[in-house]
Amino acid sequence: MRKLIFTLLFVISSSILYSQTKNVLFIGNSYTYVNNLPSMIKDISISEGKDINYDSHALGGARFLTHWQNIDNSGLLEKIQRGNWDFVVLQGQSQEVAFPDNQFYADVYPYAKSMDSLIKVHNPNSKVLFFMTWGYRYGDHVNCQYYSPFCSFESMTQRLYDNYFLMANDFNSRISPIGALWRYSIQIDSNIVLHSEDNSHPSMNGTYLTACGFYTSIFQDSLK
């Protein structure tokens, strides 16, 4: 009987330990690799008694279209086909998900959908997790003259919020609402600077907040 109890406890503890480790593939660009976001998520997870095994495919300035058109020769397809991912994170270029509707539906939506579908073909048990990004600190003034949602952090973030949620809902996928988390943080205390000096990429504070958001999205757990 004691041997049986020991065996059962070992199986249960092993199952619990396994469930606390997630395999995650990150697909994105510099918003993903600046300050080594995946590694920071791992560090936070370990501090909470959990862990992630991760791989990353992040190219500077890459769009959904970039990943899709180069999927065969970039090594990305091989990573997707490796399978056994619990989550595959998809992140678009900083502006593209906020494009005007005609441009968004022609140049962004179909490639995000193709990526989402391909991931699910090779990883039927995984969850696609869209990485909702944030607006530029002072808006995108180069494009503001052409499209008003680019004129401020708030309106650019709202546009990103709307379209990331739209894609996640349409594709039956999940979302990590990082941009909304940034907006809330800035509303609470604007003295905590989340953007780096280029007013686009994250500062260390911004990456830390983003990593905390991903921890919650992946493990469905709040930080202690």
Side-chain angles (χ1 to χ4, degrees), residues 30 51 81 89 113 121 166 181 183:
S30 57
D51 197 5
Q81 289 175 330
V89 176
K113 183 175 182 180
V121 166
L166 182 148
L181 189 60
R183 178 168 56 188

Side-chain angles (χ1 to χ4, degrees):
M1 176 63 73
R2 289 179 65 187
K3 183 177 181 180
L4 176 60
I5 292 173
F6 176 82
T7 302
L8 287 172
L9 287 173
F10 177 79
V11 170
I12 291 170
S13 62
S14 297
S15 175
I16 292 172
L17 178 62
Y18 177 78
S19 67
Q20 300 302 299
T21 301
K22 302 297 183 183
N23 299 317
V24 185
L25 174 62
F26 294 87
I27 302 173
N29 51 56
S30 57
Y31 274 35
T32 292
Y33 70 67
V34 162
N35 300 326
N36 203 346
L37 172 64
S39 179
M40 192 177 291
I41 299 169
K42 181 178 180 71
D43 290 344
I44 291 171
S45 301
I46 291 172
S47 73
E48 294 291 311
K50 302 176 178 64
D51 197 5
I52 66 167
N53 299 318
Y54 70 86
D55 199 351
S56 181
H57 185 88
L59 310 172
R63 299 173 54 188
F64 292 124
L65 178 153
T66 310
H67 291 305
W68 181 250
Q69 291 185 338
N70 295 282
I71 198 164
D72 290 317
N73 56 27
S74 65
L76 177 55
L77 181 59
E78 181 181 349
K79 290 182 179 183
I80 292 172
Q81 289 175 330
R82 190 186 307 162
N84 198 35
W85 301 113
D86 295 300
F87 292 90
V88 179
V89 176
L90 280 179
Q91 178 239 320
Q93 188 265 351
S94 61
Q95 299 157 308
E96 66 171 340
V97 182
F99 283 168
D101 281 348
N102 59 341
Q103 192 175 4
F104 169 74
Y105 281 108
D107 298 338
V108 182
Y109 185 100
Y111 299 101
K113 183 175 182 180
S114 294
M115 291 293 299
D116 181 281
S117 299
L118 180 70
I119 290 163
K120 289 171 180 172
V121 166
H122 293 288
N123 301 267
N125 296 317
S126 75
K127 301 172 183 65
V128 173
L129 185 63
F130 279 94
F131 174 178
M132 177 200 294
T133 55
W134 50 84
Y136 294 178
R137 188 177 184 186
Y138 303 111
D140 177 358
H141 292 293
V142 173
N143 291 295
C144 170
Q145 59 185 316
Y146 307 112
Y147 189 57
S148 61
F150 279 109
C151 292
S152 71
F153 167 80
E154 291 79 8
S155 56
M156 190 174 178
T157 298
Q158 184 62 48
R159 180 70 179 168
L160 292 164
Y161 178 99
D162 292 341
N163 281 344
Y164 269 111
F165 263 110
L166 182 148
M167 292 191 296
N169 287 333
D170 284 0
F171 308 158
N172 195 28
S173 295
R174 296 192 179 189
I175 193 164
S176 190
I178 303 302
L181 189 60
W182 275 48
R183 178 168 56 188
Y184 179 73
S185 173
I186 290 170
Q187 289 172 347
I188 295 299
D189 187 355
S190 61
N191 291 317
I192 299 175
V193 179
L194 303 179
H195 295 82
S196 67
E197 291 182 358
D198 69 3
N199 298 316
S200 169
H201 290 87
S203 65
M204 287 300 297
N205 285 334
T207 298
Y208 179 73
L209 181 61
T210 300
C212 291
F214 268 110
Y215 169 84
T216 299
S217 297
I218 291 169
F219 290 103
Q220 297 294 293
D221 185 28
S222 58
L223 288 165
K224 298 178 180 64

